[in-house]
Each structure stands twice: as structure tokens, then as C-alpha cells.
Amino acid sequence: MKQEPKALKGNINHGVCHWCFRDYSLEDFCVEVKKIGIKGVDLIGPNGWDTLKKHGLDSSMCNGAEISLTEGFGEEKYHDQLVENYTKMIPMVAEAGYKNLICFSGNRRGMDDETGLKNCQKGLERILPLAEKHGVMIQMELLNSKINHKDYLCDKSAFGVELCKRLDSPNFKLLFDIYHMQIDEGDLIRNIRDYHQYFGHYHTAGNPGRNELGDDQEINYPAVMRAIYETGFDGYVSHEFIPKKEDKMASLAEGVAICDV
């Protein structure tokens, strides 16, 4: 008997990152996450899109145009390669019917914020007209530089928000990773309320550890989710935690339930 997706409240659009559940092939993963009521899978490139379509799942945050987390728009020497990559990928994302494409600032390597901002702006301005033409949202992820991504440039909301203001494009936003920003700045709910218009996507994970969202970690996810919902956000909140428990799908279902406010 076919199992129908779990009925959720509908206030939060739940996605998930496949890389956190590498024990599952993408095919099997799609089958399992649909049972939980998840609508999209993050960080999938063109090679996985047919599988997502087969299972009626959205590619909620596409990837495949970036060079790496450390080599990004913050350094001019990468701009030509990035522009080539994104110029190819943006029309592919649109043709497949998707909306979001990730990008990264790369590392700081001694740059001050102003230099990094100017470099990011210069590079992104070369691809945003194409993104606007095709209706694709370019989203730069906020990552912590304290624990997981040492020296990452776009490691605070203030940096990303300033970049959004300078670019002044409806097709550039920030991927606000709740776990990463808890580490590097905290004050999650205030920042979500103050800057929500610049956030186009959210990621979850428990802190410390980047594991399950249970009560043994410090982020009050129901309160954070209510704050996100109250801003009128209608994009995806995608779960990006690495489960420690043996039953990984039970951990994912629990995370979805905790965040389903």
C-alpha cells in the first residue's frame, strides 16, 4: 500500500539536504523524505534533477555553478570562471523549472570587509542581469568562520545585507543558515525580523555539533520558525543536520516536526 506524505501544518515549506544522508541513494532518499512531507531537496545539480522530478520533489536550492566554498566572488581572480559557470547554469535552472541557485563568497585571505564587498559586487553584477532575465534567484550562503569554515568572508548577516543593498537586485538574496549564524553572531530572531527581506532560504542544524534538532542543543527551533513564519516568508526551510542516531529518517522526521509550527 502506497504511503501518503505526512500531513504538516503548511506554514513552513520543508526541504532537506541530501549530502547529510549519504547512506541513502538519491532515489531511495526521495522515496523516504516524501513520506515525511518534505517538498524539496537542496544542493542537487543537473544530474539529479530527473530523479527529483520522478518523485515530484523540487530542487529547492540548485548547485553546480560554484567553484568551491573557499573560492568565490570575494576574489577577482575567480570572477571569469564563475561568470562562465553561472552563465551556463542559470538558463539550465530556469529551463528545468527551478528558482534558486547557490553561490559563495569564498575566503577572506586577509581582505577587509570593504574590499570583499567591492569584489563580490563586481563579480555578481556580471551575472545578475541574466538571473533577472531568467527569473533565477542567486543566493549567497552565510557560513560561520569560527568552527566549520575558517576565514570565510560572508560570515555575518551585516556583510550579506550590505551586499544585497549594493547590488539592489530582486534576484539576489542570502541563504541564512541558522546553525552557522548562531555560532558567529547569535541573536537569531532579532536578525530574522530585522533583515528578513534579504533572506531567501534557510538551513537548520543543532548547535553545538550540527546534529539533530532535539532538546540537547541550544537553538530554540520552534521560536525561530515562528519568527520566520511571522515575517511572511514563503520559501524553503531546509534541514542540513548530520544525524547521529541510527534511525536517520526518524531523526529527520523529528526535526521536521519540531520546526512545523
Side-chain angles (χ1 to χ4, degrees):
M1 181 177 178
K2 183 179 178 182
Q3 185 172 350
E4 293 300 319
K6 183 178 178 180
L8 300 174
K9 294 176 182 176
N11 296 328
I12 302 293
N13 293 316
H14 296 273
V16 63
C17 296
H18 178 227
W19 76 264
C20 302
F21 298 82
R22 289 194 178 110
D23 291 351
Y24 294 84
S25 69
L26 183 58
E27 182 85 35
D28 292 342
F29 188 66
C30 289
V31 171
E32 294 302 318
V33 303
K34 281 203 74 172
K35 296 175 185 176
I36 298 170
I38 284 170
K39 297 179 179 180
V41 182
D42 275 24
L43 305 179
I44 300 295
N47 290 341
W49 292 346
D50 284 347
T51 302
L52 297 187
K53 288 178 184 293
K54 173 183 174 182
H55 293 278
L57 289 163
D58 190 10
S59 183
S60 37
M61 180 58 69
C62 301
N63 70 354
E66 68 281 1
I67 298 173
S68 72
L69 298 181
T70 62
E71 301 161 311
F73 283 98
E75 293 182 272
E76 288 190 77
K77 66 182 179 180
Y78 299 121
H79 285 181
D80 286 348
Q81 184 63 59
L82 286 165
V83 170
E84 181 181 334
N85 294 356
Y86 281 86
T87 298
K88 178 181 178 182
M89 187 65 70
I90 287 167
M92 292 172 66
V93 170
E95 185 177 350
Y98 302 133
K99 297 294 185 185
N100 298 317
L101 180 59
I102 200 166
C103 76
F104 300 101
S105 68
N107 281 11
R108 186 178 291 273
R109 289 188 246 276
M111 278 185 290
D112 57 62
D113 278 1
E114 182 59 26
T115 302
L117 283 164
K118 286 179 177 177
N119 288 347
C120 286
Q121 180 180 358
K122 187 182 294 185
L124 287 160
E125 282 178 342
R126 294 172 61 185
I127 65 168
L128 283 174
L130 186 66
E132 292 169 6
K133 175 184 175 182
H134 287 279
V136 171
M137 185 73 69
I138 305 297
Q139 303 214 34
M140 182 174 284
E141 185 163 12
L142 296 162
L143 302 174
N144 85 75
S145 60
K146 179 182 178 182
I147 302 297
N148 300 102
H149 302 286
K150 300 285 189 179
D151 201 46
Y152 188 72
L153 178 62
C154 188
D155 64 347
K156 302 285 194 303
S157 293
F159 182 98
V161 167
E162 178 60 25
L163 181 57
C164 288
K165 290 177 178 178
R166 293 187 186 192
L167 289 166
D168 192 27
S169 169
N171 289 75
F172 181 79
K173 287 186 183 288
L174 304 172
L175 194 172
F176 186 92
D177 190 301
I178 297 163
Y179 159 77
H180 286 298
M181 290 302 95
Q182 170 66 5
I183 291 171
D184 261 13
E185 65 185 20
D187 211 9
L188 296 168
I189 290 174
R190 190 192 317 272
N191 286 336
I192 288 166
R193 287 173 175 165
D194 287 350
Y195 303 127
H196 64 89
Q197 64 267 39
Y198 303 107
F199 301 153
H201 200 86
Y202 292 88
H203 278 171
T204 76
N207 186 56
R210 197 178 189 147
N211 305 119
E212 280 88 346
L213 309 186
D215 58 10
D216 59 346
Q217 54 86 43
E218 68 185 11
I219 303 173
N220 183 351
Y221 268 102
V224 172
M225 290 301 120
R226 284 192 292 270
I228 291 171
Y229 174 64
E230 288 164 4
T231 68
F233 180 72
D234 61 0
Y236 280 94
V237 174
S238 288
H239 303 285
E240 196 184 23
F241 63 85
I242 300 168
K244 291 192 298 184
K245 297 176 182 176
E246 185 175 350
D247 190 338
K248 293 176 173 55
M249 283 301 137
S251 287
L252 181 57
E254 181 184 21
V256 168
I258 289 168
C259 291
D260 196 49
V261 297

